[in-house]
């Protein structure tokens, strides 16, 4: 067999936000990574534009927010069309508006600076697995002579980040159970129209949403109660969107200039496995859901943050037994939980007159502080807690709280916060005791590039921290806190592999 055109450790298929985030995480972790994308250039439409608090935290933990700048706030949130205050304990409480093209530009620049290679204009057509490798074949767009050329890539692992119609998922034979859409929301970005802003405006015949954005472009979304879901390929015609808008609202947008058209339904599917041997799925390739409130994009980016450091450790040969399998064990339940809340929202949002009583009752419940906080944490992604051993500190499995450090570390200057400490993409042992402790000695065998140590004190005036010592995973979740030294050593072995030999 002839040599492949590209040999790499990890092939990521799909250069959307999830694929690029994963590529950056892999490269940061020391893996050689290639990203394969069928598009030849950047997006020309806005698509997903909402970043939630947990995603903003992840960008901070990788030092990307300074480059991004301060995005505009996204205004109030909602749950199924009912207003919901998204305030949480995050420093990035609320929601933030960043066009998907800018998110992709940011993440691609970061990933390529770290060494990831992005190959565009190639469509995956075949996957063949061997005991230690996967070989992928992709076709380029036809050249001037009319013949398409093929590209062969050999990798130790392949990750499908290629969306809800994932070719990776299909070629690798992943089961994708769930249900097809029964309701549909039409969406269009339209120039040269004058319509009032509508926030989940319910009419006798349907639901209408409109908002004028930068540059005078108006986004309209409309659902007609009882209308069948059309299965035609490609986006809906502008005539169909305009006719539906007129029937629901009485307004005419037919004279506008459509810039982008699409539709999405309330289909709900999730891969039964996120890993099959050397092939894995992340983002919409692993779960298909209605993009309510931007949760689909944020869920996928959090998949990438969970997977990247684990897969990098696997290909570097430093992963402990079962580390890569923990990706499915952690992210499948997290995805299921989000899909369940999206299904409830779809019913509230697109249900007809039969849901009014439920909507009214739900509005009353949202005035209860504990209900509001629970749903805000779910949508923002800040309440994700991975399974921990019985009796573990209550923070174990949760995301690390934001702490500012007031005094130095065991390095010259050290990071200024618990988020900044994670920027190298390694584990971190944070010790706030202000004096030498046994945990600092215990972590020494892992201080070979796998785990850093931050020995500091909290910044004066900050809220009292919830721990004295904590071991943080590269994705910002707590692996151990304020337990015994043997428990710390067990956590180090589980998440960062065997102790280095001396």
């Amino acid at each position: 067999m002839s040599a492949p055109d590209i040999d790499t450790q990890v092939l990521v298929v799909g250069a959307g936000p999830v694929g690029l985030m994963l590529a950056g995480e892999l490269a940061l972790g020391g893996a050689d990574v290639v990203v394969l994308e069928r598009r030849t250039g950047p997006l020309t439409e806005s698509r997903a534009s909402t970043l939630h608090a947990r995603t903003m935290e992840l960008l901070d933990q990788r030092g990307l927010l300074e480059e991004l700048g301060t995005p505009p706030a996204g205004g109030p949130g909602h749950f199924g069309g009912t207003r919901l205050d998204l305030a949480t304990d995050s420093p990035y409480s609320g929601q933030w508006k960043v066009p998907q093209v800018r998110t992709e530009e940011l993440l691609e620049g970061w990933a390529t600076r770290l060494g990831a290679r992005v190959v565009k204009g190639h469509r995956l057509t075949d996957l063949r697995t061997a005991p230690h490798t996967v070989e992928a074949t992709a076709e380029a767009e036809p050249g001037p002579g009319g013949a398409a050329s093929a590209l062969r890539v050999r990798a130790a692992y392949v990750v499908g980040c290629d969306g809800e119609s994932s070719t990776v998922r299909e070629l690798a034979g992943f089961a994708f159970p769930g249900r097809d859409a029964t309701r549909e929301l039409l969406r269009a970005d339209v120039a040269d129209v004058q319509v009032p802003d509508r926030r989940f405006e319910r009419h006798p015949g349907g639901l209408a949403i409109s908002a004028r954005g930068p540059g005078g472009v108006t986004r309209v979304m409309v659902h007609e109660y009882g209308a069948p879901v059309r299965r035609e390929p490609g986006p809906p015609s502008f005539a169909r969107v305009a006719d539906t808008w007129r029937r629901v609202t009485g307004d005419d947008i037919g004279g506008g200039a459509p810039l982008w058209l699409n539709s999405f339904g309330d289909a709900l599917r999730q891969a039964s496995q996120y890993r099959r041997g050397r092939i894995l799925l992340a983002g919409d390739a692993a779960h298909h859901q209605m993009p309510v409130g931007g949760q689909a994009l944020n869920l996928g980016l959090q998949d990438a943050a969970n997977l990247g450091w684990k897969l990098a450790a696997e290909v570097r040969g430093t992963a402990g037994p079962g580390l890569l399998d923990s990706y499915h064990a952690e992210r499948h339940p997290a995805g299921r939980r989000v899909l369940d809340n999206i299904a409830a929202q779809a019913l509230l949002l697109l249900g007809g007159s039969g849901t009014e009583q439920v909507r009214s009752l739900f509005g009353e419940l949202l005035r209860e502080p504990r209900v509001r906080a629970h749903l805000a944490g779910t949508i923002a992604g800040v309440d994700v807690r991975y399974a921990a051993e019985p009796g573990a500190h209550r923070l174990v499995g949760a995301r690390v709280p934001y702490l500012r450090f007031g005094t130095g570390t065991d390095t010259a200057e050290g990071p200024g916060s618990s988020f900044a400490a994670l920027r190298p993409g390694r584990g971190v042992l944070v010790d706030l005791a202000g004096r030498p402790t046994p945990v600092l000695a215990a972590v020494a065998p892992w201080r070979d590039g796998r785990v850093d140590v931050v020995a500091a004190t909290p910044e004066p005036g900050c809220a009292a921290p919830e721990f004295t010592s904590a071991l943080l995973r590269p994705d910002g979740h707590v692996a151990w806190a304020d337990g015994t030294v043997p428990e710390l050593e067990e956590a180090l072995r589980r998440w960062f592999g065997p102790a280095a030999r001396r």
Side-chain angles (χ1 to χ4, degrees):
M1 182 180 291
S2 60
D5 300 284
I6 297 176
D7 221 328
T8 188
Q9 290 177 314
V10 182
L11 173 64
V12 175
V13 180
V18 176
L20 293 170
M21 180 81 177
L22 178 60
E25 292 290 316
L26 287 161
L28 186 64
D32 184 67
V33 55
V34 169
V35 184
L36 192 67
E37 169 57 48
R38 65 183 304 170
R39 285 183 286 143
T40 57
L43 286 171
T44 57
E45 63 270 358
S46 55
R47 294 196 182 181
S49 60
T50 299
L51 300 182
H52 288 139
R54 181 56 184 153
T55 299
M56 293 289 284
E57 291 180 357
L58 292 172
L59 295 178
D60 188 353
Q61 290 167 13
R62 294 300 180 253
L64 293 170
L65 287 188
E66 184 175 342
E67 182 180 348
L68 180 64
T70 303
H78 73 93
F79 191 95
T82 299
R83 185 184 178 111
L84 174 65
D85 178 2
L86 292 177
T88 66
D89 65 349
S90 172
Y92 305 106
S93 182
Q95 57 183 350
W96 308 86
K97 302 304 286 186
V98 182
Q100 184 171 324
V101 64
R102 176 66 184 118
T103 302
E104 291 185 5
E105 178 185 57
L106 175 76
L107 294 174
E108 183 172 351
W110 172 60
T112 54
R113 287 194 301 272
L114 291 169
R117 293 171 285 169
V118 180
V119 179
K120 296 186 177 181
H122 287 77
R123 177 175 57 87
L124 181 72
T125 57
D126 190 44
L127 285 176
R128 296 182 183 274
T129 58
H132 303 292
T133 59
V134 182
E135 187 168 291
T137 303
E139 288 187 359
E141 293 298 319
S149 60
L151 175 72
R152 289 173 51 238
V153 183
R154 183 171 59 200
Y157 289 89
V158 172
V159 187
C161 300
D162 49 344
E164 62 188 48
S165 300
S166 170
T167 302
V168 172
R169 188 184 65 231
E170 181 179 351
L171 290 174
F174 283 83
F176 201 46
R179 59 174 173 76
D180 293 332
T182 59
R183 301 179 180 89
E184 184 178 36
L185 196 65
L186 306 179
R187 178 165 58 175
D189 287 348
V190 188
D192 304 326
V193 294
Q194 296 291 331
V195 296
D197 282 359
R198 292 177 165 92
R199 180 173 171 82
F200 304 109
E201 190 174 274
R202 300 180 73 82
H203 294 260
L207 174 78
I209 304 163
S210 57
R212 193 172 181 84
V217 175
T218 298
R219 170 162 291 186
V220 300
M221 292 187 278
V222 61
H223 167 69
E224 187 172 14
Y225 299 144
V229 176
R230 299 196 184 183
R231 311 291 182 187
E232 72 266 20
S237 68
F238 183 55
R240 181 184 167 206
V241 175
D243 288 348
T244 305
W245 183 264
R246 178 179 47 77
R247 288 195 299 271
V248 170
T249 69
D251 291 342
D252 184 7
I253 61 171
L259 305 178
W260 177 56
L261 298 154
N262 86 332
S263 64
F264 54 88
D266 59 350
L268 204 69
R269 293 187 177 276
Q270 185 180 26
S272 56
Q273 300 167 281
Y274 282 14
R275 177 190 179 192
R276 294 195 70 191
R278 295 184 173 273
I279 303 177
L280 301 99
L281 303 175
D284 285 352
H287 38 75
H288 178 197
Q289 59 285 305
M290 188 175 178
V292 175
Q295 288 187 91
L297 170 63
N298 291 269
L299 180 63
L301 291 172
Q302 291 156 36
D303 288 344
N306 183 284
L307 175 59
W309 66 278
K310 297 174 180 178
L311 185 51
E314 186 73 25
V315 299
R316 288 198 327 265
T318 61
L323 179 65
L324 191 53
D325 285 331
S326 74
Y327 169 61
H328 170 88
E330 292 184 335
R331 292 308 298 169
H332 192 275
R336 183 73 255 167
R337 187 163 177 253
V338 171
L339 264 62
D340 286 346
N341 97 54
I342 287 177
Q345 290 196 64
L347 181 61
L348 291 169
L349 188 65
L350 304 182
S353 59
T355 63
E356 292 305 322
Q357 292 84 357
V358 177
R359 292 174 56 81
S360 177
L361 176 61
F362 199 82
E364 293 180 24
L365 290 173
L366 286 183
R367 291 194 286 271
E368 293 292 328
R370 290 181 60 185
V371 174
R372 186 214 62 77
H374 173 78
L375 292 176
T378 299
I379 290 174
V382 299
D383 71 341
V384 173
R385 182 183 297 271
Y386 300 133
E389 295 296 323
H393 189 284
R394 71 174 208 86
L395 283 179
V396 174
R399 81 195 210 287
V400 61
Y402 180 77
L403 295 174
R404 290 205 60 82
F405 301 142
T407 60
T409 68
D410 62 347
T411 58
E413 295 185 4
S417 71
S418 54
F419 287 4
L422 292 159
R423 288 178 185 170
R426 296 186 285 269
V428 181
L429 190 286
V430 178
D431 191 83
L432 305 176
R435 64 185 188 281
T437 64
V439 301
L440 296 179
V443 78
W446 286 268
R447 296 187 67 181
D448 57 358
R450 289 177 288 171
V451 178
D452 295 333
V453 168
V454 174
T457 59
E459 185 176 80
C462 289
E466 299 180 70
F467 61 85
T468 301
S469 300
L471 177 65
L472 313 183
R473 302 174 358 171
D475 59 358
H477 282 260
V478 178
W480 168 92
D482 288 347
T484 66
V485 168
E487 289 169 344
L488 170 60
E489 292 171 337
E490 175 57 31
L492 286 161
R493 285 190 292 271
R494 178 183 179 188
W495 298 111
F496 302 104
R501 295 180 179 178
R502 301 196 179 191

